[in-house]
């Protein structure tokens, strides 16, 4: 109990009739990089705002390191936030922005300057203190927002889709950087995102949100390899969902299962299958060459479609495109399917 | 039609010129031209005996401005303008803040209309309405009577300098009418400035440990300041130039607007009227320089 940084007990937040967050129970461990993943409107941001104190739960309670904080205003909570739009004060310099929290807490000027220098080094912005936020690039503003939160040594750092506005290259670079900063400072990070790749890259654990509820909590590999519901299977990565009669023909049971496209091998009737594999016959309907890999859409003889991804290790675009309209045999390890409810 | 579009597309400078031609013509010829004519007239003087304007360069008209009575007029007007500006800013800020940050979309529209509604009626009507409200037999004294506050009102009216025989005949009454009449011009710019402050900035400040009063001082006020300055330019300059309120309300002591009015009218002393007009121009320039020094235009 004492080890949990954040604990939600039956926390709900209604906006009128809309249940933005619906009786959520949640425990986030000390020092963990925890992601809240879900589509927009799934309640993840509302959960974050309730931890920060910008929103109050309609019912239920939130504990921060054992202390009930549900009724505390933001300025009395030992958490800091990196905002989606960065929320840098436009009338202050970068240095004043970052040192704002220390200035409010009346930290002496010399110490303020020392900590400012340290944090500017950490986020690689040394020499930028005198600039205005408007003179910075998106990536630099993002670092300022991060530094402004981290300089206060909060118990928990909240990040509200902070990488959303950056371009792909910069985003991938910041993902690595955020993770390494988190390891160095050892603070609990709670990261809200709708980008499953981002969540998988950085997190120790992920909570997948849907319609105000948590569908699954687990490590990235848990969530990816063993999705607990068809929603998780569909939202985290792409997934093939097979159910009913087709499922029964393949596995012998009509329980719905999911199988990742990259786990499926594309073969022909001459391939020898082992006992540990399932197989299905079909026809290639469509081939999309994507450089690194090729995506095939295969219609099964028993009905339904499966998406298959194969890396282009030896094949070229000319080779793969020949597969169109060919009869194929799909096979995959029995272990690689997940039985999903719902 | 298409060829015309292409013609203009290839000549962006011409488009700019065409768009600006009429306003520029107006600004330069009508506005700056008349200001220059004013300046020119202020360097002429009125021949005392003939009552005719002599078109010779002299500074004697400006010297007249420094007579104690005239200096008093400037001081009185600027003091009133400053007091009205401060009072309007104090009234407008909380209201604008409420409209910009708390009112629902619907309510915001209604409040916005309510703020600007008085501007739909004639300015003269509103001034005369205040004359009636503030007069000795007016509705305000009736209320004061009702609550047995006569002694308070009498004490207020006996104050030297700003008192008088009744509210409508005292500078206090004039102050009330000015504050009312120019208030919308203060609310609208402040509200616009506050509306442009994203809510996340206030949340960020609070998140970083600032109590509401600290957030107000460190974030809201500095960001709304350009709006306050914009509003104050309106209230200050409008009060400086007005002559109807001081004529209808208040005592017999002159304000700048009245001085200009009477000098160019009854006495035909155009040079002195022009020189008087240069007063507010100088005062406004000084005012704007101070505002710039205070950083009011940094966020623009």
């Amino acid at each position: 109990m004492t080890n949990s940084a954040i604990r939600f007990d039956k926390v709900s937040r209604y906006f009128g009739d809309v249940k933005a967050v619906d009786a959520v129970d949640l425990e986030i461990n000390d020092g963990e990089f925890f992601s809240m993943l879900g589509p927009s409107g799934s309640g993840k941001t509302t959960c974050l705002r309730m931890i920060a104190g910008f929103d109050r739960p309609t019912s239920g309670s939130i504990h921060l390191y054992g202390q009930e904080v549900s009724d505390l205003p933001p300025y009395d909570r030992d958490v800091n936030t990196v905002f989606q739009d960065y929320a840098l004060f436009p009338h202050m310099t970068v240095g004043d922005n970052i040192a704002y929290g220390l200035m409010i807490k009346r930290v002496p000027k010399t110490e303020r300057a020392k900590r400012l220098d340290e944090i500017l080094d950490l986020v690689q912005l040394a020499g930028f203190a005198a600039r205005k936020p408007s003179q910075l690039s998106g990536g630099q503003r993002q670092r300022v927002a991060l530094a402004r939160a981290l300089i206060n040594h909060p118990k928990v750092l909240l990040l509200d889709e902070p990488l959303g506005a950056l371009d792909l290259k910069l985003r991938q670079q910041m993902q690595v950087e955020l993770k390494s900063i988190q390891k160095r400072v050892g603070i609990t990070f709670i990261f809200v995102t709708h980008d499953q790749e981002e969540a998988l890259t950085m997190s120790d654990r992920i909570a997948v949100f849907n319609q105000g509820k948590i569908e699954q909590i687990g490590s990235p590999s848990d969530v990816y390899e063993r999705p607990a519901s068809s929603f998780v299977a569909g939202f985290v990565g792409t997934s093939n969902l097979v159910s009913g009669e087709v499922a029964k023909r393949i596995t012998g049971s009509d329980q719905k299962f999911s199988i990742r496209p990259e786990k499926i091998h594309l073969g022909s009737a001459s391939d020898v299958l082992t006992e540990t594999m399932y197989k299905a016959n079909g026809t290639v309907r469509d081939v999309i060459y994507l450089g690194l890999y090729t995506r095939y859409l295969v219609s099964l003889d028993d009905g339904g479609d499966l998406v298959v991804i194969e890396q282009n290790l030896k094949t070229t675009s000319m080779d793969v495109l020949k597969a169109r309209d060919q009869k194929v045999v799909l096979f995959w390890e029995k272990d690689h399917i997940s039985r999903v409810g719902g | 039609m298409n060829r015309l579009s292409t013609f203009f597309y290839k000549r962006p400078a011409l488009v700019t010129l065409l768009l600006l031609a009429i306003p520029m013509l107006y600004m330069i010829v009508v506005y700056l031209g008349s200001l220059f004519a004013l300046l020119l007239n202020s360097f002429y003087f009125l021949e005392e005996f003939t009552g005719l304007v002599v078109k010779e360069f002299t500074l004697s008209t400006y010297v007249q401005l420094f007579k104690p009575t005239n200096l008093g007029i400037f001081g009185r007007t600027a003091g009133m303008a400053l007091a009205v500006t401060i009072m309007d800013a104090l009234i407008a800020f909380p209201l604008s803040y409420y409209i910009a940050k708390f009112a629902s979309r619907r309510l915001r529209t209604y409040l916005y209309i309510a703020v600007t509604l008085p501007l739909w009626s004639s300015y003269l009507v509103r001034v005369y309405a205040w004359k009636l409200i503030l007069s000795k037999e007016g509705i305000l004294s009736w209320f004061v009577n009702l609550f047995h506050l006569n002694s308070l009102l009498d004490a207020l009216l006996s104050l030297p300098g700003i008192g008088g025989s009744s509210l409508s005949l005292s500078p206090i009454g004039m102050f009330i009418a000015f504050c009312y009449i120019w208030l919308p011009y203060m609310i609208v710019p402040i509200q616009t400035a506050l509306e442009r402050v994203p809510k996340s900035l206030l949340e960020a400040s609070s998140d970083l440990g600032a109590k509401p009063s600290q957030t107000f001082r460190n974030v809201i006020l500095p960001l709304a300041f350009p709006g306050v300055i914009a509003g104050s330019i309106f209230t200050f300059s409008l009060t400086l130039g007005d002559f109807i309120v001081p004529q209808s309300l208040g005592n017999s002591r002159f304000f700048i607007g009245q001085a200009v009015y009477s000098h160019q009218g009854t006495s035909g002393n155009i040079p002195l009227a022009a020189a008087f007009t240069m007063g507010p121009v100088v005062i406004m320039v000084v005012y704007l320089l101070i505002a710039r020094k205070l950083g009011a235009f940094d966020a623009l």
Side-chain angles (χ1 to χ4, degrees), chain B residues 125-141:
Chain B
V125 170
R126 282 176 286 142
V127 173
Y128 278 96
W130 273 107
K131 196 178 166 80
L132 291 177
I133 292 169
L134 296 172
S135 68
K136 211 165 189 110
E137 310 297 319
I139 190 162
L140 199 71
S141 354

Side-chain angles (χ1 to χ4, degrees), chain A residues 33 48 81-82 146 157-162 178 189-192:
Chain A
F33 197 120
L48 192 85
T81 308
V82 178
L146 184 65
L157 183 76
L158 308 173
L159 301 108
D160 184 10
E161 309 216 17
L178 264 182
F189 275 37
I190 302 178
F191 188 92
V192 161

Side-chain angles (χ1 to χ4, degrees), chain A residues 49 54 74-75 79-81 83 85 87-92 100-101 104 148 152, chain B residues 198 200-212 214-215 218-219 222-223:
Chain A
R49 292 175 58 81
F54 306 138
Y75 48 85
V79 299
N80 286 119
T81 308
F83 289 81
D85 63 354
L88 302 179
F89 305 122
H91 58 297
M92 295 183 197
Y100 187 81
I104 292 292
R148 185 177 68 175
N152 305 296
Chain B
S200 64
L201 287 189
L202 312 185
E203 287 179 348
S205 173
S206 167
D207 186 68
L208 293 163
K211 296 190 169 45
Q214 291 170 311
T215 297
N218 293 310
V219 180
L223 290 175

Side-chain angles (χ1 to χ4, degrees), chain B residues 87-132:
Chain B
M87 186 47 116
D88 271 349
L90 289 178
I91 299 172
F93 205 97
L95 184 60
S96 313
Y97 191 65
Y98 178 80
I99 296 176
K101 287 278 165 274
F102 294 104
S104 68
R105 227 179 173 69
R106 218 180 142 80
L107 183 62
R108 193 186 304 173
T109 312
Y110 286 130
L111 287 172
Y112 200 79
I113 293 172
V115 165
T116 49
L117 195 64
L119 303 179
W120 298 7
S121 69
S122 163
Y123 160 83
L124 279 174
V125 170
R126 282 176 286 142
V127 173
Y128 278 96
W130 273 107
K131 196 178 166 80
L132 291 177

Side-chain angles (χ1 to χ4, degrees), chain A residues 263-283:
Chain A
K263 302 288 194 211
I264 304 177
H265 296 285
L266 198 68
S268 63
S270 61
D271 284 310
V272 182
L273 303 189
T274 62
E275 276 299 298
T276 60
M277 287 183 165
Y278 287 126
K279 73 168 198 131
N281 297 316
T283 310

